[in-house]
């Protein structure tokens, strides 16, 4: 049994490193449908469930402090290389499709919450999930932390996200050959938008760059926690740090800080560590009702799909536009790019832009939906 807080963090870091390395070296197709962060969460939860981690004050304290500082640091770096201006170059039809996707998810979460009569725990779990389905897993972690979602409820949200995402991406890929028929149904014309520039940087960078990014992230984390502890509070302490870190990341993207390459790699590492931390506080025995959560999540997708199809018919949107807008929200950069490539390789950039915009929208949208769902339980 691990009782040392430093050994506790080392074990989780080692778990993250092993899974990430295995994903990179093995190149299994399994990771295309079940993201590596799911395995990180499940294995860290398994270690906690079999009693590997001792429940003591020292471990609880380092868990709280690490999560409290790692979360704003991750959000800041994640947003640092996003250029909002590129998103608005996509064109009218794609912007309408993206807006429709956000609206449909917001409506679906609220409607299903009313239909299933969510209790406070379910409301908070689906509030965190809305952050993911409007942005990405990083947004789900941020929203879940801000809403004080329990480890078990967050685990439910993560499982729902993984299961329904897998079903959804397979369904959207299946629809690709039928794009012409759908476009005839909506009387639309496919959007063949192309990007004039590459988003981010694919270059290999040295260790000095990584250390500079980590230093910046530490400064931001210390800064936002200092502000939150000084008495300036938005809803609660964590919400304050999340919002401030998000705003600083967006502002930083308009400065020369954007030219420091590697922020996505460092922020991804921080995200994986955060997921391992959350998983280490969950227990397998508390996951008996996950099937109900998965079904509710599937119902949200059905309502989302119906609104997207109806909207496409009224607004004359093509299948590519609504499919990529949907998957950019649910899946993120990798899956949105893959789906875009099945239509035309020149459209990959569209998927990238929509997905990275979700990193901004997901946190604020998830916080809004989450608080509405929790308010509805009162």
């Amino acid at each position: 049994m691990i009782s040392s807080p430093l050994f506790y963090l080392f074990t989780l870091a080692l778990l993250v490193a092993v899974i990430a390395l295995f994903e990179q070296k093995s190149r299994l197709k399994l990771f295309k449908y079940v993201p590596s962060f799911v395995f990180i969460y499940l294995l860290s939860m398994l270690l906690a469930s079999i009693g590997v981690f001792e429940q003591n004050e020292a471990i609880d304290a380092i868990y709280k402090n690490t999560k409290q500082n790692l979360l704003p640091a991750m959000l800041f770096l994640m947003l640092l290389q996003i250029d909002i201006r590129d998103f608005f170059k996509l064109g009218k039809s794609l912007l309408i499709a993206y807006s429709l996707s956000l609206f449909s998810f917001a409506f679906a979460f609220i409607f299903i919450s009313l239909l299933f009569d969510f209790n406070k725990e379910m409301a908070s779990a689906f509030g965190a999930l809305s952050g993911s389905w409007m942005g990405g897993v990083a947004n789900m972690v941020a929203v879940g932390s801000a809403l004080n979602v329990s480890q078990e409820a967050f685990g439910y949200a993560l499982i729902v996200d993984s299961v329904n995402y897998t079903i959804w991406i397979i369904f959207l890929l299946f629809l690709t050959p039928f794009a012409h028929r759908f476009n005839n149904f909506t009387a639309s014309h496919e959007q063949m938008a192309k990007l004039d520039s590459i988003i981010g940087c694919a270059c290999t960078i040295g260790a000095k760059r990584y250390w500079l990014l980590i230093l910046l992230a530490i400064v931001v984390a210390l800064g936002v926690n200092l502000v939150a502890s000084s008495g300036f509070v938005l809803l609660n302490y964590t919400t304050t740090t999340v919002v401030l870190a998000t705003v600083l990341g967006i502002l930083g993207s308009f400065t020369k800080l954007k030219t420091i390459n590697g922020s996505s790699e460092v922020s991804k590492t921080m995200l994986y560590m955060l997921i391992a931390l959350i998983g280490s506080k969950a227990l397998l025995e508390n996951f008996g009702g996950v099937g109900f959560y998965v079904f509710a999540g599937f119902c949200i997708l059905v309502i989302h799909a119906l609104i997207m199809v109806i909207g496409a018919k009224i607004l004359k949107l093509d299948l590519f536009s609504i499919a990529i807008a949907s998957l950019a929200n649910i899946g993120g950069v990798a899956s949105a790019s893959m789906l875009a490539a099945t239509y035309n390789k020149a459209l990959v950039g569209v998927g990238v832009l929509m997905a990275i915009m979700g990193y901004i929208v997901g946190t604020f949208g998830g916080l809004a939906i989450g608080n509405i769902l929790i308010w509805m339980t009162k």
Side-chain angles (χ1 to χ4, degrees):
M1 180 179 290
I2 296 174
S3 58
S4 167
L6 292 179
F7 195 28
Y8 161 72
L9 283 182
F10 172 78
T11 303
L12 293 178
L14 181 61
L15 172 67
V16 169
V18 169
I19 294 177
L21 186 63
F22 180 74
E23 178 187 18
Q24 181 182 6
K25 298 298 182 181
S26 66
R27 297 181 181 178
L28 292 177
K29 291 184 178 180
L30 173 65
F31 287 106
K32 292 184 177 180
Y33 302 101
V34 184
S36 54
F37 63 77
V38 174
F39 294 104
I40 291 172
Y41 182 88
L42 292 176
L43 288 176
S44 63
M45 179 176 63
L46 178 62
L47 292 177
S49 299
I50 62 178
V52 172
F53 305 127
E54 182 180 300
Q55 300 299 318
N56 58 42
E57 290 184 6
I59 286 181
D60 289 342
I62 201 168
Y63 165 83
K64 180 181 178 181
N65 289 330
T66 304
K67 184 181 175 184
Q68 187 172 286
N69 288 283
L70 206 55
L71 180 60
M74 177 206 66
L75 288 172
F76 172 74
L77 292 180
M78 180 182 71
L79 297 170
L80 203 56
Q81 290 192 344
I82 293 177
D83 194 330
I84 301 176
R85 293 167 294 187
D86 287 330
F87 173 77
F88 294 102
K89 297 176 183 177
L90 288 176
K92 182 179 177 181
S93 295
L94 288 167
L95 291 176
I96 291 174
Y98 183 79
S99 301
L100 181 64
S101 180
L102 290 175
F103 166 78
S104 64
F105 275 121
F107 176 84
F109 272 97
I110 294 172
F111 180 78
I112 291 299
S113 175
L114 286 170
L115 185 65
F116 286 71
D117 192 23
F118 285 176
N119 56 32
K120 189 172 182 179
E121 183 180 51
M122 286 194 71
S124 63
F126 277 87
L129 181 65
S130 70
S132 178
W133 285 6
M134 290 182 174
V137 178
N139 303 97
M140 179 164 66
V141 174
V143 174
S145 299
L147 296 177
N148 295 315
V149 178
S150 67
Q151 282 78 17
E152 289 76 19
F154 182 84
Y156 280 128
L158 194 62
I159 292 172
V160 173
D161 184 33
S162 178
V163 172
N164 284 285
Y165 157 75
T166 302
I167 295 172
W168 196 241
I169 190 173
I170 292 173
F171 175 67
L172 291 180
L173 287 170
F174 169 78
L175 288 179
T176 303
F178 303 99
H180 182 69
R181 294 183 182 180
F182 183 89
N183 297 340
N184 286 337
F185 166 71
T186 59
S188 62
H189 301 284
E190 293 187 61
Q191 304 297 312
M192 300 300 291
K194 297 182 180 179
L195 293 179
D196 295 323
S197 59
I198 299 174
I199 305 302
C201 176
C203 56
T204 302
I205 65 178
K208 290 183 179 179
R209 295 278 186 166
Y210 283 118
W211 281 110
L212 179 56
L213 288 166
I214 292 171
L215 177 61
L216 283 170
I218 290 173
V219 171
V220 169
L222 290 175
V224 298
N225 276 288
L226 183 63
V227 172
S229 61
S230 68
F232 178 77
V233 177
L234 301 170
L235 297 179
N236 57 51
Y237 187 100
T238 306
T239 301
T240 304
T241 60
V242 165
V243 171
L244 289 177
T246 300
V247 172
L248 288 174
I250 295 171
L251 293 176
S253 69
F254 288 95
T255 69
K256 291 184 179 180
L257 293 176
K258 182 181 178 180
T259 62
I260 305 175
N261 302 306
S263 59
S264 59
E265 291 90 341
V266 179
S267 63
K268 185 177 180 180
T269 302
M270 292 178 174
L271 171 62
Y272 281 6
M273 190 63 190
L274 278 166
I275 291 173
L277 282 167
I278 296 171
S280 70
K281 290 295 182 179
L283 298 174
L284 283 170
E285 61 192 44
N286 298 324
F287 283 79
V290 69
F292 180 71
Y293 279 73
V294 172
F295 177 70
F298 180 74
C299 291
I300 290 173
L301 285 181
V302 170
I303 293 173
H304 159 71
L306 289 174
I307 293 175
M308 293 298 283
V309 172
I310 293 171
K313 177 64 176 177
I314 296 173
L315 301 172
K316 297 183 178 180
L317 301 175
D318 62 286
L319 182 61
F320 169 78
S321 295
I322 64 170
I324 207 67
S326 175
L327 196 57
N329 285 133
I330 295 179
V333 172
S335 54
S337 301
M338 180 177 67
L339 179 64
T342 63
Y343 286 85
N344 190 312
K345 290 182 179 180
L347 298 172
V348 169
V350 175
V352 173
L353 280 174
M354 282 193 176
I356 62 176
M357 187 63 184
Y359 293 152
I360 297 175
V361 177
T363 299
F364 294 113
L367 285 172
I369 296 301
N371 280 289
I372 290 173
L373 298 186
I374 293 172
W375 172 77
M376 287 166 55
T377 64
K378 298 178 181 179

Coordinates of all heavy atoms in Angstrom, one line a residue, residues 322-351:
I322 N -22.9 19.8 -41.1 CA -23.5 19.4 -39.8 C -22.7 18.2 -39.1 O -22.6 18.2 -37.9 CB -25.0 19.1 -40.0 CG1 -25.2 17.8 -40.8 CG2 -25.7 20.3 -40.5 CD1 -26.6 17.3 -40.8
A323 N -22.2 17.3 -39.9 CA -21.5 16.2 -39.4 C -20.2 16.6 -38.7 O -19.8 16.2 -37.6 CB -21.2 15.1 -40.4
I324 N -19.4 17.5 -39.4 CA -18.1 18.0 -38.8 C -18.4 18.9 -37.6 O -17.6 18.9 -36.7 CB -17.3 18.7 -39.9 CG1 -15.8 18.6 -39.6 CG2 -17.7 20.1 -40.1 CD1 -15.3 17.2 -39.7
A325 N -19.4 19.7 -37.7 CA -19.8 20.5 -36.5 C -20.1 19.7 -35.3 O -19.7 20.0 -34.2 CB -20.9 21.4 -36.9
S326 N -20.9 18.6 -35.5 CA -21.2 17.7 -34.5 C -20.0 17.0 -33.9 O -19.8 17.0 -32.6 CB -22.2 16.7 -35.0 OG -22.5 15.7 -34.0
L327 N -19.2 16.4 -34.7 CA -18.1 15.6 -34.2 C -17.0 16.5 -33.6 O -16.2 16.1 -32.8 CB -17.5 14.7 -35.3 CG -16.6 13.6 -34.8 CD1 -17.3 12.7 -33.8 CD2 -16.1 12.8 -36.0
A328 N -16.9 17.8 -34.1 CA -15.9 18.7 -33.6 C -16.2 19.0 -32.1 O -15.3 19.1 -31.3 CB -15.9 20.0 -34.4
N329 N -17.5 19.0 -31.8 CA -17.9 19.2 -30.4 C -17.7 17.9 -29.6 O -17.1 18.0 -28.5 CB -19.4 19.6 -30.3 CG -19.6 21.0 -30.8 OD1 -20.5 21.3 -31.5 ND2 -18.8 22.0 -30.3
I330 N -18.2 16.8 -30.1 CA -18.1 15.6 -29.3 C -16.7 15.0 -29.2 O -16.3 14.5 -28.2 CB -19.1 14.6 -29.9 CG1 -20.6 15.1 -29.7 CG2 -19.0 13.2 -29.1 CD1 -21.6 14.1 -30.2
G331 N -16.1 15.0 -30.4 CA -14.8 14.2 -30.5 C -13.5 15.0 -30.3 O -12.6 14.5 -29.7
G332 N -13.5 16.2 -30.8 CA -12.2 17.0 -30.8 C -11.4 17.0 -32.1 O -11.9 16.5 -33.1
V333 N -10.2 17.4 -32.0 CA -9.4 17.7 -33.2 C -9.1 16.4 -34.0 O -9.3 16.4 -35.2 CB -8.0 18.3 -32.8 CG1 -7.1 18.4 -34.0 CG2 -8.3 19.7 -32.2
A334 N -8.7 15.3 -33.3 CA -8.3 14.1 -34.0 C -9.5 13.5 -34.8 O -9.4 13.2 -36.0 CB -7.7 13.1 -33.1
S335 N -10.6 13.3 -34.2 CA -11.7 12.7 -34.8 C -12.4 13.6 -35.9 O -12.8 13.1 -36.9 CB -12.8 12.2 -33.8 OG -13.2 13.3 -33.0
A336 N -12.4 14.9 -35.6 CA -13.0 15.8 -36.6 C -12.2 15.9 -37.8 O -12.7 15.9 -38.9 CB -13.2 17.2 -35.9
S337 N -10.9 15.8 -37.6 CA -10.0 15.8 -38.8 C -10.1 14.6 -39.6 O -10.1 14.6 -40.9 CB -8.5 16.0 -38.3 OG -8.3 17.1 -37.6
M338 N -10.2 13.4 -38.9 CA -10.4 12.2 -39.6 C -11.7 12.1 -40.4 O -11.7 11.7 -41.6 CB -10.4 11.0 -38.6 CG -10.5 9.6 -39.2 SD -10.4 8.3 -38.0 CE -11.9 8.6 -37.0
L339 N -12.8 12.6 -39.8 CA -14.0 12.6 -40.5 C -14.0 13.6 -41.7 O -14.5 13.2 -42.8 CB -15.2 13.1 -39.6 CG -16.6 13.1 -40.2 CD1 -17.0 11.8 -40.7 CD2 -17.6 13.7 -39.2
A340 N -13.4 14.7 -41.6 CA -13.2 15.7 -42.7 C -12.5 15.1 -43.8 O -12.8 15.3 -45.0 CB -12.6 17.0 -42.2
A341 N -11.4 14.3 -43.5 CA -10.6 13.7 -44.5 C -11.4 12.7 -45.4 O -11.0 12.4 -46.5 CB -9.4 13.0 -43.9
T342 N -12.4 12.1 -44.8 CA -13.2 11.1 -45.6 C -14.0 11.8 -46.7 O -14.4 11.1 -47.6 CB -14.1 10.3 -44.7 OG1 -15.1 11.2 -44.0 CG2 -13.4 9.6 -43.6
Y343 N -14.3 13.1 -46.5 CA -15.0 13.9 -47.5 C -14.0 14.4 -48.5 O -14.2 14.3 -49.7 CB -15.8 15.0 -46.9 CG -17.0 14.6 -46.1 CD1 -16.9 14.2 -44.8 CD2 -18.2 14.6 -46.8 CE1 -18.1 13.8 -44.1 CE2 -19.4 14.2 -46.1 CZ -19.3 13.8 -44.8 OH -20.4 13.4 -44.1
N344 N -13.0 15.1 -48.0 CA -11.9 15.6 -48.9 C -10.8 16.0 -48.0 O -11.0 16.7 -47.0 CB -12.5 16.9 -49.6 CG -11.5 17.4 -50.7 OD1 -10.3 17.5 -50.5 ND2 -12.1 17.6 -51.9
K345 N -9.6 15.6 -48.3 CA -8.4 15.9 -47.5 C -8.2 17.4 -47.4 O -7.6 17.9 -46.4 CB -7.1 15.3 -48.1 CG -7.1 13.8 -48.0 CD -5.8 13.2 -48.6 CE -5.9 11.6 -48.4 NZ -4.6 11.0 -49.0
A346 N -8.6 18.2 -48.3 CA -8.5 19.7 -48.2 C -9.3 20.3 -47.1 O -9.1 21.4 -46.7 CB -8.9 20.3 -49.6
L347 N -10.3 19.5 -46.6 CA -11.2 20.0 -45.6 C -10.8 19.7 -44.2 O -11.5 20.0 -43.2 CB -12.6 19.4 -45.8 CG -13.3 19.8 -47.1 CD1 -14.6 19.0 -47.3 CD2 -13.6 21.3 -47.2
V348 N -9.6 19.0 -44.0 CA -9.1 18.7 -42.7 C -9.0 19.9 -41.8 O -9.4 19.8 -40.6 CB -7.8 17.9 -42.8 CG1 -7.2 17.8 -41.4 CG2 -8.0 16.6 -43.4
G349 N -8.6 21.0 -42.3 CA -8.4 22.2 -41.5 C -9.7 22.7 -40.9 O -9.7 23.3 -39.9
V350 N -10.8 22.5 -41.6 CA -12.1 22.9 -41.1 C -12.4 22.2 -39.8 O -12.8 22.8 -38.8 CB -13.2 22.6 -42.1 CG1 -14.6 22.9 -41.5 CG2 -13.0 23.4 -43.4
G351 N -12.1 20.9 -39.8 CA -12.4 20.1 -38.6 C -11.5 20.6 -37.4 O -11.9 20.6 -36.3

